[in-house]
Amino acid sequence: MEVREVALAPGEPYDLRLTGRGARGYVWTWRVTGDADAVSVSEGPQPPEPEGALLAGATVERVYVVRGRVAGRARIRFAQVRPPYPDEAPLDEFVLDVVVS
């Protein structure tokens, strides 16, 4: 699991790119802890898919926009899961620590 820290000003966006495995049924989910009001998270505009990217088992890059809102410190845990199997462990996880000041 990778952990990264970023510092943002209120209103400042940060584009986070994660490798997706949608062809295998996996999606990225996220949970914000700490000062949850300090940030917002949304799916960003997705990059165009390269030729042949939709082949079975192909990986596709996903973009998520983390935006600073108010001063605080938040931790965002992204987990790559298959929704039909909620008891299955995540395939991958990524943690983003965000300081907004």
Side-chain angles (χ1 to χ4, degrees):
M1 169 174 39
E2 183 180 346
V3 178
R4 186 181 307 165
E5 184 171 315
V6 296
L8 300 174
E12 183 179 3
Y14 176 78
D15 289 351
L16 176 64
R17 297 176 185 279
L18 298 172
T19 301
R21 290 177 178 84
R24 294 185 189 159
Y26 287 92
V27 298
W28 284 102
T29 61
W30 62 86
R31 188 182 72 203
V32 181
T33 57
D35 298 325
D37 292 340
V39 297
S40 65
V41 182
S42 62
E43 288 192 46
Q46 301 309 317
E49 295 175 3
E51 197 72 29
L54 298 179
L55 297 175
T59 59
V60 178
E61 187 175 76
R62 307 301 298 172
V63 178
Y64 299 89
V65 179
V66 176
R67 186 175 302 276
R69 295 182 62 210
V70 296
R73 184 178 279 273
R75 172 169 272 201
I76 308 165
R77 180 179 297 273
F78 290 86
Q80 197 171 47
V81 299
R82 292 192 300 176
Y85 306 99
D87 296 331
E88 192 175 86
L91 176 69
D92 197 4
E93 292 182 287
F94 182 90
V95 173
L96 185 67
D97 288 328
V98 183
V99 177
V100 181
S101 56

